[in-house]
Amino acid sequence: MDPVLLSLLCLGAPLAVAVFGAFAWRRVPNIDLLSIAAQAVGALSALVLTISVHSPGVISFPWLSFPGTGIALSLGIRLDRLSLPMLLVVQALALGVLVFSRWYLKGDRFYGRFFASFSFFVFAMTGVDLAPCLLQAFICWELVGLGSYLLIGYWHDKPAASDDPEYQANKPFFATGVIESKLSPSNAQFKAFVVNRVGDFGFLSGLALIAWVVSSWSGFHGGDPLSWDILFPAAQAAFANASFLGLSGVGLLTLAGLLVFLGAMGKSAQFPFHIWLPDAMQGPTTASAIIHAATMVAAGVFLTARIYPILTPDALTAIEWVGAVTAFVAATIACVQWDYKAVLAYSTVSQLGYMMLGLGAGAEAGGYGAGVGHLFTHAIFKCMLFLGAAAVIHALHGVQDLGRMGGLARKMPLTALATGIGTLAILGVPGFSAFWSKDTILAAAHAKVYLAQIGEGADWAARGPWLLGMATAALTAFYMSRQWLCAFAGKPRDHHLWEHAHDPDKASVVVLLVLAALSLQAVWTGSVNPFGSGSWLEGVLRAPSGGILSTVQTLPESIEHALHVGTMLWTLLLLMAGFALAILLYVVLPSHGQRTADWLRRDPPTNLAWKFLANLWFVDKAVDFLFAEGLGRRGGKAVAYADLGSGPSLDNAVDSAAGISVLFGRFSNLFQSGRSQFYAGWSLLALFGALALFLLGAQ
């Protein structure tokens, strides 16, 4: 079939449902089936495209032209080795989540609106994926934000956690860290909007800088300066002779790349912009499964991979550090979370940091393929883990406290099996998908250390991200094992909840099991040998050519193999250590009547670390104090007082100036009666006054 038609079906089918549903979701009872049918068309079209398209292709349509400049902006579709797998992931996961949502949200008062909003999000995310230029990517990027905004605030009338009796009844006594007065769907969607606007300001600034430099370059002969086909080959030459704010050449190109990356930091919840994503769990769990775990938050990683040919070594180093810090910070916070979904939320932030760590390691170290590979594998198993969370929360009537769970594997065996596979995948156990993708990221970070040692680079600058990544591997093994064990293993802690637990319906179970099967390593490597390093995605994982990457060379195969083996051995040891600690604290000791985990948060010195982590490194509270309450609320009050306050104020000053003007006007009216004899009298009086002053002066 025609690739253009199939691409338009991927875009148009969900868009049609979104537009129709926006007006008719209350009146059309089967809008869920309509949305699923449209998404099935999109998923099938994406599958055919992925199989049939073997070489890159661009279809562009003229949009805006600027006579005399040669600039002609365009919109269109780009099908290549990066966009096609991402398209299939977005469309297929969306289909599975919609099927699952029929069961999960059945009877909800906003049921139809969910499917309309969800379809709009899929359309916007597909637009980012297929964009042939930076401008179209930015436009669809903003539409993705709108779709996320609608789904986060799905239950917009729900009160804040501080005023929600259900939340207060279900939280444990030691719950802390979250600002409960500001934890609600409406506040969460606003927080996501504001935090992402900060990042998007950088994105738009970088876009403008790139457009200006490329379009004013002497070698620019017309067209769209923001299209990938023009931008990537021209980047180095265009920026070589440009200067701005005292920067020129590579320095200016580094600034442009990092400004665009700032947008990716916001969307992919990189430290310190990560604060919006855990709050976004206020939306339906099925929305979180694809938006805040699988695709939307991965859009920042996708964008970073897309602009890879213009990212300089300095820009990649900054990206690597951001990713490593994000991965480590989020993993430490996940270790102490009591909320089932919160653990997965911080796990998502941590894994997104891993992806950025891989991309930042550089193409020469294999980082590009590592980051992109983990983007795809993580999308599958994290979507499934969130759907498993939806099944657990639905079965327990909204309870999300891990401390009230336990023994659910006997009541929900299929959910326990699927989430168990997802847990083994994210841990990086041999035979599961992240063993192939996450270990490759750490091997790439290790390779960058090697390159720094044999070159002239700073060894510490490369070693730091690698060490943070390795530490994160151990933490991931601990907190994900802790979550599964607390929920599914052992004895039930709340028998009333346990007795009513059950697996979801058949269609939803099928979705869970299919995603669990796709979390096996053999699906990605094409081999049942867990230590096989090859993959049928080799073409996808190969770094793009052109731009900065035109001079990149790969490591010798022997050195690359040695680094991979060393990394694998270390990560397996760290994995076993984290898993063993979780078993000890949450299975072995409790079976002997010892709640050892309790003193971790109660007794010194571990209670100090627990409080620090439970308070989310105080980043949320610092941002709230400095910006929301400080610059926002207190700053607003100061402006209001200056304008409207009692005593001397701007408002009083304006009123006084107006009063003086009125008095002056009234006095002037005395001289403007409109009668000639009146003017003659005043003229004579002025004349006599002038003569009197003259005579007095003469004396």
Side-chain angles (χ1 to χ4, degrees):
M1 292 184 68
D2 185 4
V4 177
L5 176 60
L6 293 173
S7 302
L8 292 177
L9 284 174
C10 292
L11 285 164
L15 178 61
V17 174
V19 173
F20 176 74
F23 299 99
W25 68 270
R26 291 183 184 275
R27 299 187 297 274
V28 180
N30 294 325
I31 192 173
D32 53 347
L33 297 177
L34 182 63
S35 180
I36 290 172
Q39 195 54 58
V41 171
L44 182 60
S45 300
L47 179 61
V48 173
L49 279 170
T50 305
I51 295 173
S52 61
V53 176
H54 302 293
S55 58
V58 179
I59 305 101
S60 60
F61 311 94
W63 182 35
L64 291 174
S65 60
F66 300 87
T69 64
I71 299 174
L73 302 179
S74 61
L75 301 176
I77 296 167
R78 181 180 182 88
L79 302 174
D80 60 15
R81 65 188 187 208
L82 178 61
S83 62
L84 285 171
M86 187 68 182
L87 177 66
L88 182 59
V89 166
V90 171
Q91 297 287 332
L93 289 183
L95 177 61
V97 172
L98 285 174
V99 171
F100 196 99
S101 297
R102 288 196 72 215
W103 167 79
Y104 181 70
L105 291 172
K106 184 178 181 180
D108 189 87
R109 61 190 187 280
F110 300 129
Y111 182 77
R113 196 183 72 189
F114 173 85
F115 289 89
S117 301
F118 193 94
S119 295
F120 176 80
F121 164 79
V122 175
F123 155 73
M125 188 62 212
T126 303
V128 172
D129 177 43
L130 298 179
C133 63
L134 192 58
L135 181 59
Q136 182 178 327
F138 179 77
I139 293 171
C140 294
W141 183 272
E142 295 302 303
L143 294 177
V144 165
L146 174 59
S148 174
Y149 180 87
L150 295 173
L151 288 167
I152 294 172
Y154 175 73
W155 289 304
H156 56 84
D157 55 351
K158 186 178 179 181
S162 58
D163 301 321
D164 186 354
E166 183 180 358
Y167 180 90
Q168 295 299 324
N170 289 329
K171 74 173 185 178
F173 71 92
F174 55 81
T176 186
V178 174
I179 306 174
E180 294 184 357
S181 62
K182 297 182 179 180
L183 183 64
S184 69
S186 57
N187 280 325
Q189 66 180 173
F190 181 70
K191 186 175 183 179
F193 178 84
V194 171
V195 172
N196 275 277
R197 293 296 72 72
V198 177
D200 291 352
F201 173 77
F203 189 165
L204 189 58
S205 300
L207 184 152
L209 178 59
I210 291 170
W212 169 65
V213 171
V214 175
S215 62
S216 60
W217 173 49
S218 60
F220 177 69
H221 301 299
D224 188 347
L226 295 172
S227 70
W228 310 130
D229 289 336
I230 292 179
L231 171 60
F232 294 157
Q236 280 186 294
F239 277 83
N241 298 318
S243 61
F244 180 70
L245 297 177
L247 295 173
S248 61
V250 175
L252 187 59
L253 184 57
T254 299
L255 174 63
L258 289 179
L259 283 173
V260 176
F261 174 68
L262 195 63
M265 286 179 64
K267 198 73 78 183
S268 288
Q270 299 296 289
F271 183 89
F273 296 151
H274 69 284
I275 56 175
W276 70 267
L277 192 145
D279 284 16
M281 299 300 115
Q282 292 293 297
T285 308
T286 49
S288 301
I290 189 169
I291 297 177
H292 308 119
T295 61
M296 176 211 162
V297 290
V301 179
F302 177 84
L303 177 67
T304 306
R306 177 60 85 189
I307 65 168
Y308 215 69
I310 67 169
L311 294 175
T312 65
D314 287 341
L316 289 175
T317 298
I319 291 170
E320 184 185 23
W321 271 99
V322 168
V325 170
T326 301
F328 178 77
V329 169
T332 59
I333 295 174
C335 290
V336 300
Q337 291 300 302
W338 59 269
D339 185 307
Y340 193 108
K341 281 177 68 175
V343 175
L344 294 180
Y346 283 104
S347 169
T348 299
V349 176
S350 182
Q351 295 302 305
L352 291 167
Y354 258 131
M355 297 173 209
M356 292 299 189
L357 169 61
L359 291 174
E364 188 173 8
Y368 176 87
V372 172
H374 198 54
L375 165 63
F376 296 140
T377 60
H378 174 265
I380 303 295
F381 63 69
K382 186 54 69 66
C383 179
M384 185 266 294
L385 286 170
F386 265 101
L387 293 181
V392 170
I393 294 167
H394 187 280
L396 302 184
H397 306 288
V399 172
Q400 298 178 201
D401 181 7
L402 287 167
R404 296 180 62 184
M405 300 181 188
L408 290 177
R410 282 174 282 169
K411 286 286 187 176
M412 308 175 68
L414 296 177
T415 303
L417 172 63
T419 55
I421 291 174
T423 301
L424 293 174
I426 195 173
L427 261 60
V429 174
F432 298 87
S433 56
F435 174 70
W436 166 69
S437 61
K438 192 171 72 174
D439 271 27
T440 309
I441 289 175
L442 295 172
H446 193 189
K448 190 167 184 178
V449 176
Y450 171 81
L451 291 170
Q453 290 173 336
I454 64 174
E456 297 180 357
D459 183 17
W460 62 268
R463 191 176 295 276
W466 174 61
L467 292 175
L468 289 174
M470 297 297 284
T472 302
L475 293 171
T476 303
F478 171 75
Y479 71 71
M480 288 302 301
S481 300
R482 165 183 174 263
Q483 182 193 45
W484 194 92
L485 292 170
C486 286
F488 295 100
K491 298 179 180 179
R493 299 178 186 87
D494 189 320
H495 284 274
H496 176 71
L497 290 175
W498 181 82
E499 288 172 355
H500 294 85
H502 56 83
D503 276 321
D505 68 355
K506 292 181 180 178
S508 300
V509 165
V510 168
V511 172
L512 286 175
L513 294 179
V514 168
L515 293 178
L518 294 175
S519 300
L520 300 176
Q521 184 182 345
V523 174
W524 302 90
T525 61
S527 171
V528 294
N529 176 14
F531 299 98
S533 58
S535 172
W536 57 271
L537 284 173
E538 288 298 333
V540 175
L541 305 180
R542 190 170 61 251
S545 59
I548 298 296
L549 301 176
S550 58
T551 58
V552 169
Q553 297 179 352
T554 57
L555 283 170
E557 186 175 345
S558 58
I559 295 175
E560 183 179 358
H561 178 72
L563 292 173
H564 274 265
V565 171
T567 299
M568 179 186 67
L569 294 175
W570 274 109
T571 52
L572 287 175
L573 287 173
L574 293 172
L575 185 159
M576 289 187 288
F579 180 73
L581 182 61
I583 288 283
L584 176 66
L585 293 179
Y586 296 99
V587 176
V588 177
L589 293 176
S591 67
H592 291 82
Q594 302 180 48
R595 297 295 298 274
T596 312
D598 290 344
W599 58 256
L600 291 175
R601 64 170 180 269
R602 186 186 63 227
D603 301 334
T606 56
N607 66 333
L608 298 177
W610 184 90
K611 289 179 180 178
F612 178 73
L613 299 178
N615 278 283
L616 318 178
W617 284 53
F618 292 96
V619 175
D620 278 59
K621 292 182 178 179
V623 170
D624 183 72
F625 177 78
L626 293 174
F627 297 102
E629 292 295 329
L631 189 61
R633 191 181 302 276
R634 294 186 180 88
K637 285 182 178 180
V639 172
Y641 180 80
D643 182 35
L644 303 171
S646 59
S649 67
L650 180 62
D651 193 61
N652 289 339
V654 172
D655 289 345
S656 298
I660 293 172
S661 298
V662 170
L663 291 175
F664 182 77
R666 289 176 179 174
F667 178 75
S668 299
N669 284 341
L670 296 176
F671 305 95
Q672 301 293 330
S673 66
R675 293 194 292 268
S676 58
Q677 63 270 28
F678 190 79
Y679 296 147
W682 279 111
S683 298
L684 288 172
L685 182 61
L687 178 60
F688 288 138
L691 287 172
L693 290 174
F694 176 75
L695 292 173
L696 288 172
Q699 292 178 354

